[in-house]
Amino acid sequence: MRPASLRAQQLLSLPLLALLSPALRLIPGSPAAAAGRAAWLSPLAALPILLLYLGFLCLFCGRRGPEEGLAELCLRCLGQRAGRIFLLLAGLWLLLFAGFSLRAGAERCLLTVFPHASPAVFVLPLALLALWAALGKLRSVGRLARMLLAPLCALLLVLLLAALPNLHAGNLLPVTLYELPAALRGSPPVLEIAGILLLCPCFFLDRAESLSFRGAALSLAGALALLTLLSAAVLGNFGAALTQKLRLPFFTLVRNLVFFRSLERVEALTVSLWVFPDLVLETLLLRAAARCLRAAFGSSGTMPEEPRLSLRGGRWLLPLAALAAAGIALTLAPDARSFARWSDELIPTWNLVFLALFPPVALIGKLRKKI
């Protein structure tokens, strides 16, 4: 069956919408711990590095064949044995990240709206929804992401504008040249979440329209500008010292907003709407993990677009991946302290290591004259 075409705008919308899920968990709390008052500039400080990585991905993926995505390209660069080991590890890491992301989405609901509920109440339905979406056509997920991206970004912008009256300029300014290195020290959380979400769609380039560097760079710059506004709003209201102590600083900010003196609690609405970025993130990670594992097990070519209940052509990996992700989510962080360690230390560090592996893979492929 001929694979469906994913339009370039839909392909771009997938990582941009998915970015809203981890961004509101990490930003600006994690940058504030490293950069202090200059943390609101950390997303902009990350932009040049992310543009370089985006340029690398465009050059590297430009060497793929007509039936290849990123997984098959890595396999060609490294050879069968080393390539399969690399893709097996990549697939397992993406599954671990998918499980952690499920747990993070549940943690957001527990902290903001349902403090006495069990994580399973949120993890299992989201895992089932993500599996249903992953078993469908990738183009459908791209359409959903493109349809929801503008409304959710507009909502986020409205919430940030509503927080302006309580903003204290002294929490943000002045920023001198001596504080720019601090802003750079706060950029790793932005680098790891944006980088991993730029990388994942590259596994599906064999069924997508060609993507230009310019279009992707402009979209990335717009996303980081929004994260800069988010950081400025939160830090301007709370200050760096308090922001780094809050578990979910953005939702704490939203909790204090009042609209028209009647709708006083909007965090429940905001948390409910953020299930859509969670869904797109999980679908993206599950499909990328399955693509890596399928290539590692010796299957070539794209996963066929079959009816949702069909498990032919390697599609049986998707239910197993969703089951594994749900199991990881329910066992990975049994308490708040362990979750904070995974969220602030382990996942960001390993994501950066994972991203750093692909340039050497490209170099090996170049030395072996495979690309």
Side-chain angles (χ1 to χ4, degrees), residues 261-282:
R261 299 183 180 180
S262 59
L263 183 61
E264 297 187 359
R265 298 294 299 273
V266 296
E267 77 273 15
L269 173 64
T270 307
V271 169
S272 300
L273 289 175
W274 245 250
V275 72
F276 294 110
D278 289 340
L279 175 62
V280 172
L281 174 63
E282 289 304 315

Side-chain angles (χ1 to χ4, degrees), residues 58-364:
C58 289
L59 289 174
F60 184 36
C61 293
R63 301 300 184 95
R64 63 185 179 85
E67 298 296 325
E68 288 183 333
L70 182 59
E72 293 77 18
L73 181 59
C74 291
L75 192 63
R76 178 153 58 92
C77 288
L78 296 176
Q80 288 296 316
R81 180 175 298 180
R84 288 185 181 184
I85 294 173
F86 174 78
L87 291 175
L88 176 62
L89 294 176
L92 293 176
W93 168 248
L94 290 171
L95 276 183
L96 178 61
F97 188 42
F100 171 78
S101 299
L102 277 174
R103 182 68 176 85
E107 187 76 5
R108 183 177 65 246
C109 295
L110 294 175
L111 288 175
T112 54
V113 185
F114 303 102
H116 303 296
S118 167
V121 174
F122 305 100
V123 166
L124 297 179
L126 183 57
L128 287 174
L129 286 173
L131 174 61
W132 184 257
L135 286 170
K137 294 181 178 180
L138 187 61
R139 188 170 184 176
S140 299
V141 184
R143 285 174 176 171
L144 175 67
R146 182 158 175 77
M147 179 180 65
L148 293 175
L149 181 60
L152 284 179
C153 287
L155 171 63
L156 182 57
L157 189 57
V158 168
L159 294 174
L160 296 179
L161 291 175
L164 287 180
N166 296 322
L167 188 145
H168 302 284
N171 291 333
L172 303 175
L173 300 173
V175 175
T176 66
L177 289 176
Y178 297 102
E179 292 175 293
L180 293 182
L184 191 59
R185 287 197 299 271
S187 64
V190 184
L191 292 173
E192 58 100 0
I193 59 174
I196 202 78
L197 291 174
L198 286 174
L199 184 72
C200 284
C202 295
F203 291 103
F204 318 122
L205 287 175
D206 55 319
R207 60 177 59 191
E209 294 178 353
S210 59
L211 189 62
S212 69
F213 172 80
R214 181 184 178 185
L218 289 174
S219 299
L220 177 62
L224 294 188
L226 187 60
L227 295 185
T228 301
L229 291 177
L230 165 67
S231 302
V234 174
L235 287 166
N237 276 264
F238 298 140
L242 178 58
T243 296
Q244 61 185 289
K245 295 178 182 178
L246 297 173
R247 294 285 296 279
L248 293 170
F250 170 75
F251 290 100
T252 304
L253 175 69
V254 171
R255 184 177 299 162
N256 296 322
L257 296 180
V258 177
F259 290 90
F260 310 117
R261 299 183 180 180
S262 59
L263 183 61
E264 297 187 359
R265 298 294 299 273
V266 296
E267 77 273 15
L269 173 64
T270 307
V271 169
S272 300
L273 289 175
W274 245 250
V275 72
F276 294 110
D278 289 340
L279 175 62
V280 172
L281 174 63
E282 289 304 315
T283 304
L284 192 60
L285 291 174
L286 288 178
R287 292 204 58 145
R291 186 67 180 262
C292 289
L293 294 174
R294 188 168 184 265
F297 294 152
S299 299
S300 60
T302 62
M303 187 178 294
E305 299 282 5
E306 298 282 350
R308 273 193 168 89
L309 298 182
S310 172
L311 301 181
R312 295 180 298 178
R315 289 167 54 86
W316 55 270
L317 276 171
L318 288 171
L320 289 183
L323 182 63
I328 290 169
L330 295 176
T331 58
L332 186 68
D335 53 57
R337 179 174 296 181
S338 60
F339 176 81
R341 183 167 181 262
W342 278 95
S343 177
D344 298 337
E345 300 175 18
L346 299 179
I347 293 293
T349 301
W350 293 349
N351 263 344
L352 289 174
V353 171
F354 180 64
L355 291 170
L357 292 177
F358 286 88
V361 169
L363 179 60
I364 292 171

